Amino acid sequence: MDWYSIVKFLHVVSAILWVGGGFVLFLLGVLAERAGNIQDKLQAMRASGELGGRFFAPMSMLTLIFGLIMCGFWVGFSDLWIIIGLVGYATTFSIGMLVFKPTGERMGAMVAKEGVTPAVLAIGQRMMRWARFDYAVMLVIISDMVLKPTLHDIGILAGMVLVIASGAALALGGGRQLVPSAA
Protein backbone atom coordinates (compact mmCIF):
# COMPACT_ATOMS: atom_id res chain seq x y z
CA MET A 1 0.00 0.00 0.00
CA ASP A 2 1.28 3.46 -0.85
CA TRP A 3 0.96 6.76 1.03
CA TYR A 4 -1.65 8.12 -1.38
CA SER A 5 -3.98 5.19 -0.61
CA ILE A 6 -3.54 5.68 3.14
CA VAL A 7 -4.26 9.42 2.96
CA LYS A 8 -7.22 8.83 0.63
CA PHE A 9 -8.60 6.22 3.05
CA LEU A 10 -8.31 8.67 5.96
CA HIS A 11 -9.94 11.39 3.83
CA VAL A 12 -12.90 9.14 2.99
CA VAL A 13 -13.35 7.83 6.55
CA SER A 14 -13.35 11.33 8.05
CA ALA A 15 -15.80 12.50 5.36
CA ILE A 16 -18.12 9.56 6.09
CA LEU A 17 -18.09 10.30 9.81
CA TRP A 18 -18.67 14.03 9.24
CA VAL A 19 -21.37 13.85 6.57
CA GLY A 20 -23.00 10.60 7.69
CA GLY A 21 -23.19 11.51 11.36
CA GLY A 22 -24.63 14.91 10.60
CA PHE A 23 -27.11 13.42 8.16
CA VAL A 24 -28.45 11.03 10.80
CA LEU A 25 -29.08 13.95 13.18
CA PHE A 26 -30.68 15.95 10.35
CA LEU A 27 -32.90 12.98 9.50
CA LEU A 28 -33.95 12.60 13.14
CA GLY A 29 -34.94 16.27 13.14
CA VAL A 30 -36.92 15.89 9.91
CA LEU A 31 -38.74 12.80 11.20
CA ALA A 32 -39.57 14.56 14.48
CA GLU A 33 -40.75 17.59 12.53
CA ARG A 34 -43.04 15.49 10.33
CA ALA A 35 -44.43 13.69 13.38
CA GLY A 36 -44.99 17.01 15.15
CA ASN A 37 -42.81 15.81 18.04
CA ILE A 38 -41.25 18.93 19.53
CA GLN A 39 -39.23 17.10 22.22
CA ASP A 40 -37.58 14.73 19.73
CA LYS A 41 -36.75 17.63 17.43
CA LEU A 42 -35.24 19.60 20.29
CA GLN A 43 -33.20 16.52 21.27
CA ALA A 44 -31.85 16.23 17.70
CA MET A 45 -30.97 19.95 17.68
CA ARG A 46 -29.37 19.66 21.12
CA ALA A 47 -27.29 16.68 19.96
CA SER A 48 -26.26 18.59 16.83
CA GLY A 49 -25.15 21.52 18.96
CA GLU A 50 -23.23 19.33 21.38
CA LEU A 51 -21.52 17.31 18.65
CA GLY A 52 -20.86 20.27 16.36
CA GLY A 53 -17.67 21.52 17.95
CA ARG A 54 -16.56 18.23 19.47
CA PHE A 55 -17.10 15.89 16.54
CA PHE A 56 -18.38 17.43 13.28
CA ALA A 57 -15.93 20.34 13.13
CA PRO A 58 -12.87 18.10 13.78
CA MET A 59 -14.08 15.51 11.23
CA SER A 60 -14.68 18.22 8.64
CA MET A 61 -11.21 19.66 9.32
CA LEU A 62 -9.62 16.20 8.97
CA THR A 63 -11.50 15.72 5.70
CA LEU A 64 -10.10 19.01 4.44
CA ILE A 65 -6.56 18.35 5.69
CA PHE A 66 -6.36 14.89 4.11
CA GLY A 67 -7.85 16.27 0.89
CA LEU A 68 -5.33 19.10 0.82
CA ILE A 69 -2.48 16.63 1.41
CA MET A 70 -3.67 14.55 -1.55
CA CYS A 71 -3.92 17.65 -3.73
CA GLY A 72 -0.57 19.01 -2.59
CA PHE A 73 1.40 15.82 -3.16
CA TRP A 74 -0.44 13.94 -5.90
CA VAL A 75 -3.49 15.51 -7.53
CA GLY A 76 -2.94 19.26 -7.78
CA PHE A 77 -5.40 22.08 -7.31
CA SER A 78 -6.33 23.01 -10.88
CA ASP A 79 -9.00 20.45 -11.81
CA LEU A 80 -12.58 21.70 -11.80
CA TRP A 81 -13.74 18.97 -9.41
CA ILE A 82 -11.11 20.06 -6.85
CA ILE A 83 -12.29 23.66 -7.10
CA ILE A 84 -15.96 22.65 -6.76
CA GLY A 85 -15.08 20.50 -3.74
CA LEU A 86 -13.17 23.32 -2.05
CA VAL A 87 -15.94 25.85 -2.70
CA GLY A 88 -18.51 23.37 -1.40
CA TYR A 89 -16.41 22.71 1.69
CA ALA A 90 -16.00 26.45 2.34
CA THR A 91 -19.77 26.87 1.99
CA THR A 92 -20.75 24.11 4.40
CA PHE A 93 -18.00 24.99 6.88
CA SER A 94 -19.18 28.61 6.85
CA ILE A 95 -22.78 27.54 7.46
CA GLY A 96 -21.59 25.44 10.39
CA MET A 97 -19.48 28.15 11.97
CA LEU A 98 -21.62 31.19 11.15
CA VAL A 99 -25.12 29.71 11.47
CA PHE A 100 -25.27 26.37 13.30
CA LYS A 101 -22.73 27.07 16.03
CA PRO A 102 -23.95 30.50 17.21
CA THR A 103 -27.62 29.63 16.69
CA GLY A 104 -27.27 26.40 18.64
CA GLU A 105 -25.53 28.22 21.47
CA ARG A 106 -28.23 30.90 21.52
CA MET A 107 -30.98 28.27 21.54
CA GLY A 108 -29.28 26.42 24.40
CA ALA A 109 -29.06 29.60 26.44
CA MET A 110 -32.69 30.47 25.73
CA VAL A 111 -33.91 26.99 26.73
CA ALA A 112 -31.84 27.10 29.93
CA LYS A 113 -33.25 30.51 30.83
CA GLU A 114 -36.86 30.40 29.57
CA GLY A 115 -37.55 26.78 28.65
CA VAL A 116 -39.01 25.76 25.31
CA THR A 117 -40.77 28.81 23.95
CA PRO A 118 -42.24 29.65 20.54
CA ALA A 119 -39.16 31.82 19.95
CA VAL A 120 -36.84 28.84 20.55
CA LEU A 121 -38.91 26.68 18.20
CA ALA A 122 -38.82 29.38 15.52
CA ILE A 123 -35.03 29.54 15.78
CA GLY A 124 -34.91 25.74 15.49
CA GLN A 125 -37.07 25.93 12.38
CA ARG A 126 -34.63 28.38 10.78
CA MET A 127 -31.76 26.03 11.61
CA MET A 128 -33.60 23.17 9.88
CA ARG A 129 -34.01 25.31 6.78
CA TRP A 130 -30.27 26.01 6.74
CA ALA A 131 -29.64 22.28 7.26
CA ARG A 132 -31.64 21.47 4.12
CA PHE A 133 -29.39 23.75 2.09
CA ASP A 134 -26.25 22.50 3.85
CA TYR A 135 -27.02 18.89 2.95
CA ALA A 136 -27.75 19.83 -0.66
CA VAL A 137 -24.22 21.30 -0.75
CA MET A 138 -22.82 18.15 0.85
CA LEU A 139 -24.58 15.98 -1.72
CA VAL A 140 -22.94 18.03 -4.45
CA ILE A 141 -19.54 17.66 -2.77
CA ILE A 142 -19.97 13.88 -2.56
CA SER A 143 -21.07 13.58 -6.19
CA ASP A 144 -18.22 15.88 -7.19
CA MET A 145 -15.63 13.73 -5.41
CA VAL A 146 -16.98 10.53 -7.00
CA LEU A 147 -17.75 11.77 -10.52
CA LYS A 148 -14.88 14.28 -10.88
CA PRO A 149 -16.58 16.44 -13.53
CA THR A 150 -14.75 18.57 -16.08
CA LEU A 151 -16.15 21.50 -18.04
CA HIS A 152 -17.28 19.00 -20.69
CA ASP A 153 -19.58 17.16 -18.26
CA ILE A 154 -22.53 19.49 -18.77
CA GLY A 155 -25.11 17.00 -17.49
CA ILE A 156 -23.27 16.40 -14.21
CA LEU A 157 -22.67 20.11 -13.67
CA ALA A 158 -26.32 20.90 -14.48
CA GLY A 159 -27.39 18.21 -12.01
CA MET A 160 -25.21 19.78 -9.33
CA VAL A 161 -26.78 23.18 -9.98
CA LEU A 162 -30.23 21.57 -9.79
CA VAL A 163 -29.40 19.96 -6.42
CA ILE A 164 -28.16 23.30 -5.02
CA ALA A 165 -31.25 25.09 -6.37
CA SER A 166 -33.51 22.41 -4.87
CA GLY A 167 -31.74 22.71 -1.51
CA ALA A 168 -32.14 26.47 -1.63
CA ALA A 169 -35.83 26.13 -2.52
CA LEU A 170 -36.39 23.69 0.36
CA ALA A 171 -34.54 26.05 2.68
CA LEU A 172 -36.53 29.07 1.57
CA GLY A 173 -39.81 27.14 1.43
CA GLY A 174 -39.50 26.05 5.02
CA GLY A 175 -41.63 23.05 5.84
CA ARG A 176 -44.06 22.16 8.60
CA GLN A 177 -43.83 24.49 11.51
CA LEU A 178 -43.40 23.13 15.03
CA VAL A 179 -44.30 26.46 16.57
CA PRO A 180 -47.70 26.17 18.22
CA SER A 181 -50.28 28.42 16.61
CA ALA A 182 -51.93 31.18 18.60
CA ALA A 183 -55.40 29.87 17.68
Side-chain angles (χ1 to χ4, degrees):
M1 181 176 299
D2 60 351
W3 280 106
Y4 176 77
S5 296
I6 293 168
V7 173
K8 185 176 182 179
F9 171 77
L10 294 171
H11 174 71
V12 170
V13 167
S14 57
I16 288 169
L17 293 172
W18 168 40
V19 176
F23 186 74
V24 168
L25 289 175
F26 170 72
L27 188 57
L28 289 172
V30 168
L31 292 174
E33 181 177 65
R34 287 187 178 166
N37 189 325
I38 294 171
Q39 291 305 319
D40 284 354
K41 183 164 181 183
L42 286 172
Q43 180 60 34
M45 285 188 250
R46 192 175 302 117
S48 295
E50 290 173 5
L51 291 172
R54 293 183 187 137
F55 182 75
F56 297 125
M59 287 299 110
S60 75
M61 291 304 295
L62 286 173
T63 302
L64 176 65
I65 289 166
F66 292 130
L68 291 174
I69 290 170
M70 284 190 301
C71 289
F73 285 104
W74 298 286
V75 178
F77 291 93
S78 60
D79 291 334
L80 178 62
W81 66 275
I82 297 291
I83 295 166
I84 292 170
L86 289 170
V87 168
Y89 178 87
T91 302
T92 191
F93 187 81
S94 296
I95 291 169
M97 290 294 115
L98 300 175
V99 177
F100 294 149
K101 185 179 186 306
T103 304
E105 290 170 354
R106 187 173 76 207
M107 279 181 63
M110 289 173 70
V111 168
K113 183 178 180 184
E114 306 162 15
V116 178
T117 64
V120 168
L121 295 173
I123 291 169
Q125 199 65 37
R126 285 193 295 276
M127 277 184 69
M128 285 298 291
R129 287 195 296 266
W130 275 103
R132 288 179 179 101
F133 180 71
D134 189 51
Y135 273 93
V137 173
M138 287 190 184
L139 181 59
V140 166
I141 295 169
I142 292 167
S143 64
D144 178 62
M145 295 290 114
V146 172
L147 301 174
K148 298 176 178 26
T150 67
L151 283 175
H152 302 291
D153 296 312
I154 302 301
I156 294 170
L157 296 171
M160 290 176 166
V161 169
L162 182 62
V163 168
I164 295 292
S166 297
L170 285 171
L172 294 173
R176 284 185 52 191
Q177 298 290 322
L178 284 180
V179 179
S181 64

